[in-house]
Amino acid sequence: MATEGGKPHTAEAVSAPPAVELVQQAAAEQKIDPYTVSGARDAEGNIKAIDYEALRQRFNTPALTDEHLKRFEQVTGKKPHRLMRRRLFFSHRDFDKILDAYEKYGFFLLYTGRGPSSGSMHLGHAVPFLFTKELQDLFDVPLVIMLTDDEKFLYTRNKNEGKPTPGAALGDFIGYAFENAKDIISIGFDRKKTFIYTDYSHMGGHFYQNISEFEALLTNNQIRGALGFDGSTNVGLNAYAAKQCVAAFASSYPELFGYGDFRPGNWAERRPRKNVAAIPTLIPCAIDQEPWFRILRENCDRMEFPSPKTALILSKFLTALQGPGGKMSASDANSAIFMSDTPKQIEKKINRSFSGGGATKEDHEKYGGNPDVDVAYAYLSYFLESDEELSEIEEGYRKGTLSTGELKKKCISELQKFVGDFQERRSRVTDQVLEDYMTFRKLEYKGNPTPTVP
Ligand code: ATP
């Protein structure tokens, strides 16, 4: 319970003790980058909720406005997805330009990914993928999904000062990547328009040529500045930034657009790359990934075959079970609901999650609850489709007419349904289906099949 002494909550101060790991990570300032997500601490040392407005200003990424949503609706003819309507995707870079490009050329490239840190994805990972699927369906565009097994191996070794740890051998990450690919397929992506790869199995050819070129553009100082690395960071992790960045270029995969073939003898042929370099890319991801793509955007026009600055649409984090000062993360099993969890496990986890309800039934009825810090309410805002139902729940909870128990019950049943449906689809993803998505091939989508973007 978050309420102390019957006082109503404020969105800033979250007084319940979050996970030990989060407490240790938290600094006076909030810290958000691809490797750390933590709210700031208040004077008493408690972790505060993440301040997304402050973060957006620090990263200097524009807000997603009503105008963007209107334009999106005009271009697609569909109401924006709930994650966009509720500004859970809340910020962007050049989203307008992607809509312009779509109107002009009829397509763009979608790129997103996952660092396979565990055998099963969690609900937080489902957020960018759910949204990406919506974009793929609405725009009928090609999609590339990168599984960074190499990065997770390098990162884990780096964290453990180079020492091997159980479950973190190189081969373990390869295994997690393939399991995660099955999870991703189960979100429902259209096979004809989707290419999924793991770094260890795919890198080479045009992709690797782009990597080398990008590596030649970056200095260690730039990487350190953006990602907080220092001289003791292993060489692999420093070099990894170029791989993460050029994965966004259509020119890393001309074959997906019908240019060139994949025979090793053709890999030095550069024309295919030139033909597709001008295809614009949109990356849906949570805002912790933004530092990678800042490096990318700074260098798009410095490539031999320049690409437009990559566009981003950025989400907030599905909060940790312990409260809004941290994100749901696979590295802290207590923070997460995994896509492999049973209905019973989901029920237990939500019942123990951080609540914005009153300390006692009487307090709750008198002062109301605070949905702004309540985990069950936060999860409903991501997964409950009906805007009307969500706003009734919010109102009832603030007034105290809806109890914490009732709110949690609703959250449990929504999540059990979401995860149950996912698991049903997952049971049908055979090794053959996996191979189909992971075969490097020409993708089939509406719009310009062999693009000639100037
Ligand atoms: P974890 O700590 O759980 O392994 P991660 O940040 O390392 O998480 P990635 O696999 O690198 O996870 O992230 C894949 C995508 O999922 C990225 O777009 C990332 O921003 C997003 N993501 C990860 N955790 C969350 C979360 N709790 N809520 C929303 N998006 C998330």
Side-chain angles (χ1 to χ4, degrees), residues 163-302:
K163 293 191 254 341
T165 45
L170 193 145
D172 291 321
F173 292 98
I174 295 177
Y176 301 151
F178 285 106
E179 287 305 314
N180 287 186
K182 287 188 169 181
D183 284 354
I184 291 166
I185 291 167
S186 311
I187 298 286
F189 294 106
D190 183 337
R191 189 192 62 79
K192 291 200 185 94
K193 296 176 224 156
T194 308
F195 173 54
I196 304 178
Y197 65 89
T198 73
D199 288 352
Y200 282 132
S201 62
H202 179 67
M203 271 180 198
H206 296 287
F207 194 167
Y208 193 60
Q209 292 174 40
N210 272 348
I211 290 170
S212 284
E213 217 189 310
F214 211 83
E215 282 173 344
L217 295 173
L218 295 180
T219 64
N220 285 321
N221 287 341
Q222 282 170 305
I223 306 289
R224 289 176 190 185
L227 297 159
F229 295 165
D230 61 28
S232 69
T233 307
N234 70 41
V235 171
L237 210 48
N238 272 283
Y240 173 75
K243 302 181 176 82
Q244 175 85 72
C245 288
V246 304
F249 290 146
S251 63
S252 295
Y253 327 91
E255 296 86 347
L256 299 181
F257 304 92
Y259 280 103
D261 61 30
F262 345 117
R263 280 182 294 118
N266 285 5
W267 281 356
E269 159 69 90
R270 302 166 70 69
R271 190 175 43 83
R273 250 188 322 143
K274 183 174 182 195
N275 286 345
V276 295
I279 296 174
T281 301
L282 172 66
I283 309 178
C285 60
I287 195 163
D288 58 336
Q289 304 294 308
E290 198 274 340
W292 292 121
F293 304 123
R294 206 177 306 154
I295 304 174
L296 167 63
R297 284 171 54 91
E298 279 163 11
N299 291 288
C300 290
D301 60 354
R302 297 175 71 207

Side-chain angles (χ1 to χ4, degrees), residues 104-125:
K104 205 159 171 190
Y105 306 118
F107 82 117
F108 55 87
L109 174 66
L110 278 169
Y111 154 63
T112 192
R114 150 92 181 120
S117 50
S118 56
S120 169
M121 297 203 319
H122 57 62
L123 273 177
H125 295 131

Side-chain angles (χ1 to χ4, degrees), residues 34 112-118 122-125 127-129 148 151-152 284-289 315-319 327-331 382:
T112 192
R114 150 92 181 120
S117 50
S118 56
H122 57 62
L123 273 177
H125 295 131
V127 170
F129 287 116
T148 63
E151 180 230 356
K152 283 293 166 188
C285 60
I287 195 163
D288 58 336
Q289 304 294 308
S315 79
K316 299 178 180 173
F317 306 107
L318 192 71
T319 177
K327 69 162 192 161
M328 188 177 278
S329 169
S331 56
Y382 281 80

